[in-house]
Amino acid sequence: MRTVFTAVFLVFSFVSTAQYNLPEDYFDDPLQVPLALAGTFGELRSNHFHSGLDLKTQQREGLPIHSSAEGFISRINISHYGYGKALYVQHPNGFTTVYAHLKNFSPRIEKYIKDLQYKKESFEIEVFPSAEELPVERGELIASSGNTGGSGGPHLHFEIRDEQQRPMNPLMFGIEIKDTRAPLVDGFYVYPQGEDAHVNGSAKRQKLRLIPQNDGSYKTEEINACGDIGFGVSTIDQQDAAYNRNGVFRIEASANGDKIFQANFEKFSFAETRHLNQLIDYGYYTENNRRIQKLFIEPSNPLSIYGPVKNEGYLHIKDSLSYDYVVKVTDFSGNERIVRVPIEGKFEQNITPKEDKTTQYFVPTNEPTLFEDKGIDVYIPKNSLYKDIYLDITFEDEKIKLHEDIIPIHSSITIGFDVSKYKPEDREQLFIAELNKWGKPNYSTTYKDGDRFTTKTRTFGTYTLASDLKAPTVTPVNFRDGQWISNNKDLKVKISDDLSGIKSYRATVNGKFILMEYEYKQNLLTHDFSDGVVNETENHLKIEVVDNVGNTTIFESTFFRK
Ligand SMILES: [Zn+2]
């Protein structure tokens, strides 16, 4: 009953996947339901490109998942966040498939994992089994689908990686997704580049009106421009089977028929994924929650997704000449949407300048910078930012307003607070918090070294000292103290912490470790009695929960089973 991904591959091979010489019918559909995508490869996400396909699982968990091809389980990662419960299968042809946000595993794999979890006394584990330990057949049931880790709803996250563990677009391996709808373009922008460039008398970014044409394409209003200008597009693709706003496959641009830009979502490496913040207009994104993809490449941008590009994608507009700029957005099935921009070269004397504010806090990218005032210091290592910038910083008492989250930070900067005025015993519950936009403090991993606390961050914003005085709460869900619960298949408790957040938890019954799975989205700890470790009639449960500053709650209860 398995569907093999072959059919449309030859038809659509024009999408230039030929350069990779990929196997066309090697990988099977890991699910047995009609394929619908909640996410495509290369889709723009927060600080990263999406590394696989999100396959919809009919809004539920527990769908059988089959190994896409023969091989062996080469990595198992069980984590509270991120991929949640994830399996990696290495195949003899060098590729690895990845299955994430799983609910549970086939009995053989489940036993392997549970044995390790009990041995390490931890729900979170990572292990790299050898080829002999857990071999799998093509199509073998390996897991059931779930919603674990950082997943916003039931689905299977599926990846195909090459030998260097670079994720590749699984659609290039012949997965058939019905898609007759062309990508949507819902915003188009022009960016004058440099001091002298201008568009319609202004050096600022401008949104261009999209005028629908009869053939489904768009034309923008004509613009007058001079100097180097670049463009940006806000675009998504939808397949036939789902409403999800997914990513597109390719974006190309030409000027007067000459190809000048191409971006392809075929493959990338995890090392470059954060540079997504250079592909998008980051400030526009954090302010409007919509991503404009820039069709030009700035100097510090090392992304490998670009095809042939001329003049970094910029158009050099000369006075009195006309230009026809055309953008083509394509999905994997070859449906395309075209936007034409008519441009007249026109030099203008008086232009509205960009509003580049200067401050006393200048950060050159190519050297480290330190700012310090009122017992607070900020250290910005070289190349943490993508370009030289003037930051807006306000030092207050125990609080620093460190610019705004409108400029991307590539690698961590360090913020330090002098805490010498606090008594040592009061420092224990003290931590560094980032204030969210509603002013609520979020714990930022705090390193405590005597009189100085530090934290590392990759987000501009407001940071402050805060104290967490309350220990976590632990509340039983499906039992009461002293109760007989012979018919329960599991034991559930809710855990939560009001301020600094949960750091760790540990549960025992009659002094013996029991595995509890933590689902942070529901604040839930669950022990499954089928683990077979709770065998006595009278059981003393003890759960110790610690928050991020070390406040500890010990919950104790007795239950009976036979
Ligand atoms: Zn995903």
Side-chain angles (χ1 to χ4, degrees), residues 39 45 50-54 101 155-158:
R45 301 273 176 97
H50 189 232
S51 52
L53 297 178
D54 283 344
H101 308 308
H155 74 280
L156 172 67
H157 172 92
F158 175 67

Side-chain angles (χ1 to χ4, degrees), residues 2-137:
R2 281 182 287 107
T3 336
V4 177
F5 304 152
T6 48
V8 285
F9 186 77
L10 290 174
V11 182
F12 294 130
S13 57
F14 71 86
V15 290
S16 95
T17 53
Q19 57 167 312
Y20 297 112
N21 196 20
L22 300 176
E24 296 169 18
D25 55 2
Y26 190 87
F27 295 109
D28 284 344
D29 177 355
L31 284 172
Q32 289 187 345
V33 296
L35 281 176
L37 298 184
T40 50
F41 179 86
E43 196 169 299
L44 314 177
R45 301 273 176 97
S46 176
N47 300 314
H48 69 286
F49 293 99
H50 189 232
S51 52
L53 297 178
D54 283 344
L55 306 177
K56 290 172 86 95
T57 53
Q58 305 178 328
Q59 288 89 47
R60 56 200 169 99
E61 301 180 24
L63 265 53
I65 290 167
H66 306 267
S67 181
S68 193
E70 69 162 316
F72 67 95
I73 310 282
S74 56
R75 180 181 174 193
I76 300 166
N77 195 10
I78 312 282
S79 137
H80 296 143
Y81 309 104
Y83 283 22
K85 298 185 181 183
L87 286 181
Y88 297 68
V89 179
Q90 190 175 319
H91 305 286
N93 65 352
F95 290 95
T96 299
T97 49
V98 183
Y99 313 79
H101 308 308
L102 304 171
K103 182 184 176 69
N104 47 35
F105 304 95
S106 68
R108 182 172 59 113
I109 301 169
E110 186 83 24
K111 182 178 184 318
Y112 183 96
I113 294 170
K114 286 262 164 108
D115 285 351
L116 195 66
Q117 287 173 319
Y118 274 94
K119 194 174 140 211
K120 299 208 155 170
E121 300 200 344
S122 169
F123 170 55
E124 290 194 302
I125 53 158
E126 181 174 30
V127 59
F128 298 84
S130 65
E132 299 75 40
E133 288 181 271
L134 294 168
V136 293
E137 300 284 323

